[in-house]
Amino acid sequence: MIEKTERLLSVLKLQPVVPVLIIEDLATAVPLARALVAGGLKAIEITLRTPVALAAIEAVAKEVEGAVTGAGTILNPEHYAAAVEAGAQFIVSPGTTPDLLDAADDHEASFLPGASTASEAMILRAEGYDVMKFFPAEQAGGAAFLKALSSPLAGTLFCPTGGISLKNAMDYLSLSNVICVGGSWVAPRELVAAGDWAGITKLASEACALTA
Ligand SMILES: O=C[C@H](O)COP(=O)(O)O
Ligand SMILES: CC(=O)C(=O)O
């Protein structure tokens, strides 16, 4: 578990923002990931929300030099196994279930489980998780909520995701218990549809510069 946590931390420390991607068109996955990596965002979460998501994970994991490919929206052990099989190096879930924790024990790929209350975070701590996702961040209490957890739940680190943008990312990134944030704003649907990879690299560079 300690080794898995260290591997996860090394991925999350690569950058201040983990792009959360919903890939509709498989052909966009590789150029989009290349554009993000060019802007400095190497760890990329591809959510299992579309029919092409697993193929997108496989393509990015195989073809995009410098990318660390993760899978998001992992809701059950079948998703977990399929994402690992496709090449995902880290696995993200909006929440946590006992089945998912068992699946995480069965695979080498690190797990970033979701929590949105003090009790959920405490259950994950009791299971040995010191790093977790805080989702949906803005709706569940925002940066003020996470700040309030930092003293009672000392030692737990969060990757808040949900409603975060360039404007409010620093509210989270300046907290001692935040390791990085997640967000879709670095890959807007219109720029992806237009194939504006230079525009996406620019957004990624701006995101990367947040903590420079
Ligand atoms: O479902 C949402 C993703 O987790 C990312 O949230 P976001 O689009 O608010 O950045
Ligand atoms: C919310 C999120 O990041 C996920 O779908 O895994």
Side-chain angles (χ1 to χ4, degrees):
M1 186 70 180
I2 291 173
E3 196 233 311
K4 271 190 186 175
T5 305
E6 274 169 10
R7 263 192 283 127
L8 179 63
L9 282 173
S10 70
V11 171
L12 299 180
K13 276 183 195 159
L14 285 171
Q15 61 212 31
V17 181
V18 175
V20 179
L21 306 184
I22 300 173
I23 305 285
E24 306 282 358
D25 174 0
L26 181 56
T28 63
V30 165
L32 170 57
R34 286 198 178 122
L36 291 165
V37 171
L41 302 182
K42 297 176 184 169
I44 293 169
E45 176 188 332
I46 297 175
T47 58
L48 258 66
R49 300 188 201 176
T50 62
V52 300
L54 286 170
I57 290 168
E58 191 171 352
V60 171
K62 279 196 185 135
E63 296 175 39
V64 182
E65 203 177 326
V68 181
T69 315
T73 319
I74 298 299
L75 305 181
N76 56 49
E78 291 73 28
H79 287 168
Y80 206 117
V84 169
E85 175 74 25
Q89 291 170 263
F90 65 100
I91 301 290
V92 185
S93 174
T96 312
T97 66
D99 278 355
L100 271 177
L101 294 176
D102 287 346
D105 287 343
D106 292 341
H107 294 278
E108 276 307 300
S110 303
F111 186 36
L112 180 67
S116 65
T117 65
S119 297
E120 288 170 9
M122 286 166 64
I123 290 168
L124 283 171
R125 279 163 63 105
E127 293 285 343
Y129 286 85
D130 297 322
V131 187
M132 51 194 86
K133 179 158 201 153
F134 174 49
F135 179 81
E138 279 292 289
Q139 297 83 350
F145 177 89
L146 271 190
K147 187 175 184 188
L149 289 188
S150 63
S151 177
L153 299 189
T156 297
L157 290 172
F158 294 91
C159 168
T161 303
I164 302 180
S165 66
L166 196 64
K167 279 195 187 129
N168 60 357
M170 276 315 291
D171 296 347
Y172 292 92
L173 290 167
S174 58
L175 300 178
S176 61
N177 57 348
V178 168
I179 183 156
C180 62
V181 301
S184 63
W185 89 86
V186 287
R189 186 185 282 263
E190 319 78 68
L191 294 196
V192 175
D196 184 353
W197 310 128
I200 291 196
T201 296
K202 185 166 176 281
L203 291 176
S205 302
E206 280 169 4
C208 237
L210 277 166
T211 52

